Amino acid sequence: MDDIEVMVSAAEGVELDAEYAGLIETVVRLGAREGGVTAGEVSVLVTDDEGIRRLNRRFRAADKATDVLSFPLGGECLGDIVISLPRAREQAADYGHSLRREVAFLAAHGTLHLLGYDHETNEEDAAEMERKQDELLNKLEIPR
């Protein structure tokens, strides 16, 4: 039995359906477990494009909205994940799949970043991260 605590919250003005909050929690917990983590905390904030843009500007010097940010902390607290719900809706429509699938993907992507995966390093690392994301989503029966 693991002792992974996942706290999912919504920024002010963002309505987060309980189903999606539960989905995020499930994906993060499974991702951590699959990554060999048996104890720790992860905080997930679901926000809007402006909220994630401010964080992206402050911590990554990129003054634009993005879909997901991860802040690995290490130790007892694995880190924080921030997901833009409007961006998830837009990408789900662009890719022709459900919002459920996109939210699960972003939660998996953020979790893998907390575990040290990085798709921006090189093509090999990007391919490995993509494979891990697919494995997680397939285990939850949320395929592409």
Side-chain angles (χ1 to χ4, degrees):
M1 185 84 183
D2 61 47
D3 190 21
I4 300 168
E5 185 175 353
V6 181
M7 297 147 290
V8 181
S9 61
E12 186 175 330
V14 175
E15 289 187 37
L16 179 62
D17 186 292
E19 175 189 349
Y20 291 115
L23 175 63
I24 291 167
E25 183 177 335
T26 298
V27 171
V28 172
R29 186 170 281 122
L30 178 62
R33 194 178 312 130
E34 292 290 314
V37 175
T38 58
E41 298 176 358
V42 177
S43 174
V44 183
L45 175 65
V46 179
T47 190
D48 58 16
D49 282 347
E50 180 56 29
I52 207 164
R53 184 189 68 79
R54 281 193 306 267
L55 292 169
N56 204 17
R57 181 180 64 222
R58 180 175 177 191
F59 294 104
R60 296 185 69 226
D63 192 12
K64 62 181 182 176
T66 189
D67 51 5
V68 63
L69 292 172
S70 298
F71 301 96
L73 298 173
E76 189 66 24
C77 185
L78 295 175
D80 301 324
I81 298 170
V82 182
I83 296 172
S84 168
L85 191 56
R87 186 61 49 133
R89 280 192 186 102
E90 182 180 304
Q91 289 176 176
D94 288 348
Y95 298 135
H97 56 240
S98 70
L99 178 58
R100 180 176 186 271
R101 197 264 181 219
E102 188 65 19
V103 167
F105 170 81
L106 295 175
H109 189 86
T111 302
L112 290 172
H113 274 303
L114 294 184
L115 296 173
Y117 289 88
D118 186 359
H119 56 89
E120 296 176 357
T121 308
N122 58 53
E123 288 182 28
E124 209 172 277
D125 289 347
E128 174 69 6
M129 190 169 180
E130 186 172 335
R131 188 182 63 75
K132 290 285 190 183
Q133 289 166 169
D134 287 345
E135 283 177 9
L136 282 173
L137 296 178
N138 287 335
K139 283 186 179 192
L140 293 169
E141 299 180 357
I142 308 173
R144 284 184 192 241

